[in-house]
Amino acid sequence: MTQPVPPRTSAHKPYLDAIRATLQAAFCIENFESQVVERHNKPEVEVKSSKQLLLNPVVISRNQNERILIEGSVNSVRISIAVKQADDLEKILCKRLMRFMMQRADDFHILRRKPIPDYDISFLITNFHAETMYKHRLVDFIIYFLEEIDKEISEMKLAVSSRARMCAEEFLKKFN
Amino acid sequence: MAEIHSFGNLPIIAHAWNKDRTQIAVSLGKNDIRIYHKIAGKWILKHTLCEHLSRVLALDWAPKTNQIVSASADYNAYVWTFENNIWKPQMVELQRTSRAVCCAKWSPDENKFAIGSSDKNIAVCYYEKDQRFWAAEMIKKKPKSTITCIAWHPNNQLLAIGSCDYRCRIYSAFIKAVDDQPRISNWGKISNTGELLHEFQSESGWIHDVAFSPLGDHLAWVSHNSIIFAVSADNPSRITMEVTNYLPFRCIIFMNESTLIVGGHEFCPLIYHYDSQRNTIECVEKLDRQEITAGRQSIGRLFDQPAMQTQTPEPISTHQSMITQIIPYQKENNTLVKISSADLFGQIVIWNLNDARSHQTSSVINHIQNKFHLNDGSSYMNGHI
């Protein structure tokens, strides 16, 4: 039996709570056959075939650089995340990390291969995913992803800086 | 005590019981309809009806005539009759339907059924005796979007239709070939097929389900903006709304003239009381009584990643997923005694409405058993790799 996990109070909590509540409402998706093409079942949020099947998109932002866009529809949800990138090094690391994940989008199931313009990464969740996966787990995953991405990028930045420092030290020893 | 039946991990899109509740027809998200027979407490697969080419979206089993109507995404509907121990399909001649057929319901007298489809068509179908096929009469004044739900009035001649254009409508489904005389009901006089009697607006939410009360005097529907609407025949212009704080509901059914049961994304059926005199809909209670105990929470944590600091609490309810359909299971002098609800993870639960107020004692054990069955240690996928 594991210990009960103590809740971590972080500055992000109201932001994440708002995202969690919006996602729980947006994930109320169900099977919907296409009205436009016979025998097709398309994610309406991607096709946007008729206005009445789409919900209003919601943007939740902590500041100009950290935003999340949630677009819902009757049978699919598209979530786009803009990750905080403070300097050039973080920009490069973020771009590479996102590209790494998006190239493996098939195995990821809910990831979209291209992010929406203005954002760094996008998820597309359809009713077929909701039929095989727990909804509350999907919400937890998105929140977890948001928390962890920032940590990952900071760790990688530290690793790059320390490695650069060590390389420079070794190199300049020759000239001592 | 709620009885739980599990049909594997596949989503149950539609289900229907036969007359004596020994057989159940389910559509598990595939192209076929499976009929299970209950033998010695276990469900054995008895028949598989494969005639459809796409997902079967709706099923209805007529208890008296023992026929099943099935509607699928391949824009066909079939009526199945049981002859010589096999189910024989007969295609319904739906001209002009070129999109998926989303819902199908037998009328109370079972001589006709109604079909709603994605190309905004509603058809009332009856059996043409001379030519021996199922003919369809389309309703001319079409809604502007996909039809999501159908409900019959108990007088066999009125239809309530809910669709994705945020409106609920009442049409007359009188067919000259089958019905003898247009009957007068509280909702108005009808003279022809397909007359639009009333149209109700639902404030920009897709209508998920609509239901008539057992005597036909009240109509209620649920929409995607988490509002329950109800209207009474004696005053059709006054719509009662109840804005709920729950996630949207997907099904609604009347228990008796003034009590309704709703179920949906909230994973648990709720009971509401509709008072047409005072124009209110009040929540009575949740059907699912599960108690939170420390034991269950720590077992839950065993399967959860310890790194995730903030977590949604596990839903403590019998259903672990969205309820797709609630249909009546047992009736006693005009009041529903038992209902059955199906969800997306292959579970069908039969609720006993009589002891809804009494405490469920073995619910904790039931819930832990369900957890071990559904949660194989993989957090995100329901046992799927």
Side-chain angles (χ1 to χ4, degrees):
Chain A
M1 232 45 115
T2 54
Q3 299 282 6
V5 180
R8 179 182 67 179
T9 49
S10 73
H12 292 217
K13 199 157 184 314
Y15 175 57
L16 295 176
D17 283 344
I19 296 179
R20 183 186 299 275
T22 317
L23 284 178
Q24 276 174 345
F27 272 134
C28 297
I29 49 186
E30 55 178 20
N31 185 42
F32 192 82
E33 305 287 328
S34 168
Q35 289 180 161
V36 180
V37 186
E38 47 191 53
R39 292 220 214 164
H40 275 221
N41 190 325
K42 305 182 208 263
E44 294 294 330
V45 77
E46 294 285 350
V47 183
K48 294 197 167 64
S49 52
S50 52
K51 276 253 148 72
Q52 52 196 213
L53 299 173
L54 304 173
L55 299 175
N56 285 330
V58 176
V59 176
I60 304 174
S61 58
R62 275 191 79 219
N63 46 47
Q64 179 58 22
N65 302 327
E66 286 182 62
R67 308 183 299 273
I68 177 169
L69 167 70
I70 301 173
E71 300 162 279
S73 76
V74 70
N75 62 355
S76 42
V77 185
R78 190 162 67 186
I79 303 164
S80 312
I81 303 177
V83 175
K84 174 176 74 167
Q85 296 153 60
D87 56 14
D88 282 336
L89 182 57
E90 275 191 15
K91 280 206 184 84
I92 298 177
L93 288 171
C94 174
K95 187 159 153 243
R96 297 215 158 205
L97 180 62
M98 297 305 163
R99 251 191 69 208
F100 173 81
M101 285 197 281
M102 287 194 278
Q103 276 178 342
R104 289 150 183 82
D106 281 344
D107 297 321
F108 219 108
H109 294 289
I110 56 176
L111 198 60
R112 200 172 181 268
R113 273 194 180 268
K114 286 256 175 267
I116 305 299
D118 258 359
Y119 290 88
D120 296 311
I121 193 167
S122 296
F123 293 92
L124 174 67
I125 298 169
T126 62
N127 59 292
F128 298 107
H129 297 138
E131 280 169 16
T132 49
M133 305 186 213
Y134 282 128
K135 238 176 15 179
H136 57 278
R137 287 295 185 210
L138 280 173
V139 174
D140 285 344
F141 172 73
I142 306 276
I143 308 276
Y144 177 66
F145 186 86
L146 280 172
E147 291 175 334
E148 293 301 309
I149 270 295
D150 288 338
K151 267 199 274 179
E152 286 264 346
I153 295 189
S154 330
E155 271 174 45
M156 282 198 281
K157 187 168 157 190
L158 274 175
V160 166
S161 312
S162 56
R163 194 177 163 81
R165 192 182 318 119
M166 277 199 291
C167 291
E169 260 186 55
E170 284 299 317
F171 184 69
L172 292 174
K173 271 190 193 155
K174 297 252 157 99
F175 300 99
N176 201 355
Chain B
M1 226 352 251
E3 276 173 55
I4 302 174
H5 305 284
S6 179
F7 290 96
N9 273 338
L10 297 168
I12 297 187
I13 311 284
H15 71 297
W17 296 94
N18 72 339
K19 182 167 177 195
D20 47 4
R21 308 318 193 206
T22 51
Q23 296 190 30
I24 182 173
V26 283
S27 149
L28 290 174
K30 304 236 164 100
N31 303 348
D32 55 5
I33 307 165
R34 302 208 188 161
I35 299 192
Y36 286 86
H37 196 90
K38 193 168 192 184
I39 301 177
K42 279 215 213 140
W43 292 98
I44 318 270
L45 175 62
K46 205 164 176 213
H47 303 278
T48 315
L49 315 176
C50 335
E51 192 77 24
H52 283 294
L53 303 168
S54 301
R55 228 183 206 209
V56 177
L57 297 175
L59 278 180
D60 202 13
W61 196 321
K64 289 178 246 169
T65 54
N66 208 29
Q67 290 174 315
I68 301 183
V69 63
S70 67
S72 128
D74 65 352
Y75 39 94
N76 268 333
Y78 285 96
V79 176
W80 302 81
T81 350
F82 195 54
E83 287 162 24
N84 308 333
N85 230 11
I86 47 169
W87 287 92
K88 279 222 180 85
Q90 192 172 16
M91 187 143 78
V92 179
E93 302 294 330
L94 295 170
Q95 324 108 330
R96 288 175 265 146
T97 303
S98 52
R99 301 280 178 275
V101 185
C102 301
C103 34
K105 275 253 170 78
W106 284 104
S107 70
D109 289 344
E110 288 162 29
N111 49 4
K112 352 176 234 198
F113 59 92
I115 282 190
S117 76
S118 282
D119 64 349
K120 309 159 200 168
N121 268 329
I122 310 162
V124 182
C125 309
Y126 57 98
Y127 195 59
E128 188 62 64
K129 286 211 182 51
D130 310 330
Q131 281 124 342
R132 303 226 260 155
F133 73 101
W134 288 91
E137 275 235 18
M138 305 287 194
I139 291 189
K140 303 252 169 16
K141 293 216 180 75
K142 303 196 285 199
K144 306 241 170 20
S145 182
T146 305
I147 316 287
T148 47
C149 46
I150 295 182
W152 282 92
H153 190 276
N155 76 355
N156 211 36
Q157 289 187 6
L158 289 182
L159 265 188
I161 305 274
S163 75
C164 277
D165 64 352
Y166 323 138
R167 281 181 182 73
C168 174
R169 296 178 170 86
I170 302 187
Y171 287 98
S172 98
F174 166 72
I175 306 261
K176 282 206 189 64
V178 177
D179 296 321
D180 41 4
Q181 241 188 54
R183 295 186 210 166
I184 303 181
S185 69
N186 290 339
W187 295 96
K189 240 181 81 158
I190 50 178
S191 45
N192 254 328
T193 317
E195 267 177 41
L196 175 59
L197 287 166
H198 293 282
E199 186 173 313
F200 305 109
Q201 177 101 7
S202 119
E203 308 230 352
S204 75
W206 309 307
I207 303 199
H208 285 304
D209 204 5
V210 69
F212 270 110
S213 66
L215 293 174
D217 287 329
H218 305 302
L219 178 70
W221 64 97
V222 275
S223 72
H224 199 76
N225 42 14
S226 304
I227 304 185
I228 306 177
F229 291 85
V231 71
S232 180
D234 44 354
N235 199 349
S237 52
R238 197 178 62 173
I239 306 178
T240 316
M241 280 184 10
E242 164 75 6
V243 183
T244 64
N245 276 336
Y246 300 111
L247 292 175
F249 296 114
R250 279 216 67 227
C251 7
I252 186 173
I253 196 173
F254 267 92
M255 198 165 109
N256 50 31
E257 271 307 296
S258 59
T259 319
L260 7 118
I261 303 181
V262 289
H265 292 277
E266 197 61 42
F267 299 175
C268 157
L270 288 117
I271 306 183
Y272 277 82
H273 186 85
Y274 170 54
D275 191 335
S276 55
Q277 308 297 329
R278 286 187 302 151
N279 215 19
T280 55
I281 304 179
E282 291 156 353
C283 180
V284 175
E285 60 168 348
K286 280 195 176 191
L287 260 190
D288 209 350
R289 299 293 197 82
Q290 306 267 11
E291 281 219 330
I292 307 177
T293 61
R296 181 178 314 123
Q297 270 193 340
S298 38
I299 291 180
R301 294 262 183 247
L302 191 63
F303 291 123
D304 299 335
Q305 292 184 358
M308 289 184 23
Q309 305 282 355
T310 43
Q311 280 189 32
T312 325
E314 290 278 332
I316 27 174
S317 52
T318 317
H319 279 296
Q320 291 283 315
S321 156
M322 171 184 97
I323 299 180
T324 49
Q325 221 184 356
I326 296 184
I327 54 180
Y329 186 75
Q330 194 182 333
K331 248 196 202 168
E332 251 172 48
N333 45 296
N334 247 358
T335 316
L336 274 187
V337 169
K338 287 194 184 174
I339 52 167
S340 83
S341 59
D343 74 359
L344 280 186
F345 281 160
Q347 272 191 319
I348 294 191
V349 183
I350 301 176
W351 305 90
N352 195 338
L353 301 172
N354 275 339
D355 64 3
R357 286 164 209 281
S358 63
H359 198 66
Q360 285 187 7
T361 46
S362 56
S363 57
V364 173
I365 303 169
N366 234 338
H367 182 74
I368 295 179
Q369 276 176 353
N370 283 343
K371 249 216 179 51
F372 280 109
H373 168 69
L374 294 174
N375 208 345
D376 297 327
S378 49
S379 304
Y380 300 118
M381 311 278 228
N382 181 25
H384 289 237
I385 315 282

